[in-house]
Amino acid sequence: MDIGTIHSIWTVVLFSSFIGIVVWAYSKRQTSRFEEAANLVFADEDNDVATRENDRSKEA
């Protein structure tokens, strides 16, 4: 095997991996997981607001 063949095989492996990741990311089965992950920021924000309100009520 010469270096050209190795480079060709490596290119095909990387391209196949890239296509696999793109198909996985855009598959319909992953939609609910990604939507849940996208909303985690807002859930954390709600917890922070509730914590601040509880702290204020304890101070008063």
Side-chain angles (χ1 to χ4, degrees), residues 4-23:
T5 305
I6 294 172
H7 283 208
S8 297
I9 292 170
W10 186 242
T11 301
V12 170
V13 168
L14 289 177
F15 184 72
S16 300
S17 298
F18 174 76
I19 295 299
I21 291 170
V22 168
V23 168

Side-chain angles (χ1 to χ4, degrees), residues 39-59:
N39 289 325
L40 284 175
V41 174
F42 302 117
D44 189 40
E45 189 175 283
D46 292 340
N47 289 339
D48 289 343
V49 170
T51 303
R52 284 188 211 134
E53 289 177 358
N54 285 340
D55 290 343
R56 287 182 189 158
S57 66
K58 290 178 184 177
E59 290 175 358

Side-chain angles (χ1 to χ4, degrees), residues 1 3 27-28 36 47:
M1 249 196 264
I3 195 72
S27 69
K28 295 201 182 279
E36 180 183 341
N47 289 339

